[in-house]
């Protein structure tokens, strides 16, 4: 059709089949303007990204890009869920990787990374790297009342702290 869309006509109704902006080709790439779902009934890979580059650059690359018209501190920049069903036929995020940008100020940008896992029905931070480069294991930075874990210093902070019940028990 002249609008760049493909249609199927049935009973006087026009059903859009394809939008020109939703095409992808092996030679020129492409962009989807709506969510994309890949479904497979097999147990093998559902998606494989391959690079045949013989150089020493990083490849293949996957980019999560938050292109906000009004970026703000603490915006989420990416989320990957590893989801499955429990024995009550409910969807559960068993593992989650998430990233945020605590500071979006030009020249002072910060990033935050968190690996979360499900334990006894609750999804919680297990490994975090805060915007100061400090790695936390089994703790939320700022340490909550019930947290137990180890904080490892980075970027010159050369410390190891051990916590139980929100109380520092040892520092090296």
């Amino acid at each position: 059709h002249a609008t760049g869309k493909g249609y199927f006509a049935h009973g006087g109704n026009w059903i859009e089949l394809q939008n020109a902006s939703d095409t992808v080709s092996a030679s020129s790439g492409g962009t989807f303007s709506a969510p994309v779902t890949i479904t497979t009934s097999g147990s093998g890979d559902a998606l494989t990204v391959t690079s045949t580059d013989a150089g020493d650059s990083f490849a293949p690359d996957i980019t999560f890009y938050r292109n906000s018209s009004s970026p703000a501190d603490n915006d989420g920049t990416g989320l990957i869920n590893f989801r499955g069903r429990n024995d009550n036929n409910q969807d559960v995020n068993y593992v989650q990787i998430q990233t945020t940008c605590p500071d979006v100020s030009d020249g002072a940008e910060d990033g935050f990374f968190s690996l979360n896992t499900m334990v006894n029905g609750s999804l919680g931070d297990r490994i975090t790297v805060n915007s100061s480069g400090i790695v936390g294991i089994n703790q939320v930075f700022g340490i909550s009342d019930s947290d137990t874990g180890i904080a490892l210093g980075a970027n010159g902070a050369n410390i190891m702290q051990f916590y139980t019940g929100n109380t520092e028990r040892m520092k090296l």
Side-chain angles (χ1 to χ4, degrees), residues 99-130:
T99 62
T100 59
C101 47
D103 189 345
V104 298
S105 304
D106 185 26
E109 297 90 342
D110 291 328
F112 183 92
F113 171 88
S114 178
L115 175 64
N116 309 308
T117 63
M118 182 69 67
V119 174
N120 293 322
S122 294
L123 191 65
D125 291 341
R126 305 302 174 216
I127 299 174
T128 53
V129 181
N130 74 7

Side-chain angles (χ1 to χ4, degrees), residues 42-101:
S43 61
D45 298 342
L47 174 66
T48 301
V49 179
T50 302
S51 171
T52 58
D53 178 28
D56 63 355
S57 62
F58 292 103
D61 302 341
I62 298 175
T63 300
F64 294 85
Y65 179 41
R66 182 177 181 120
N67 187 9
S68 174
S69 61
S70 58
D73 291 351
N74 298 311
D75 277 353
T77 52
L79 180 67
I80 301 173
N81 288 310
F82 297 85
R83 184 175 295 149
R85 291 257 167 150
N86 65 15
D87 63 2
N88 194 30
N89 206 30
Q90 298 166 318
D91 290 339
V92 176
N93 292 330
Y94 288 97
V95 177
Q96 186 179 74
I97 299 170
Q98 64 182 22
T99 62
T100 59
C101 47

Side-chain angles (χ1 to χ4, degrees), residues 131-149:
S131 58
S132 298
I134 297 174
V135 176
I137 300 173
N138 270 349
Q139 72 173 25
V140 176
F141 287 95
I143 303 177
S144 66
D145 299 287
S146 61
D147 281 345
T148 300

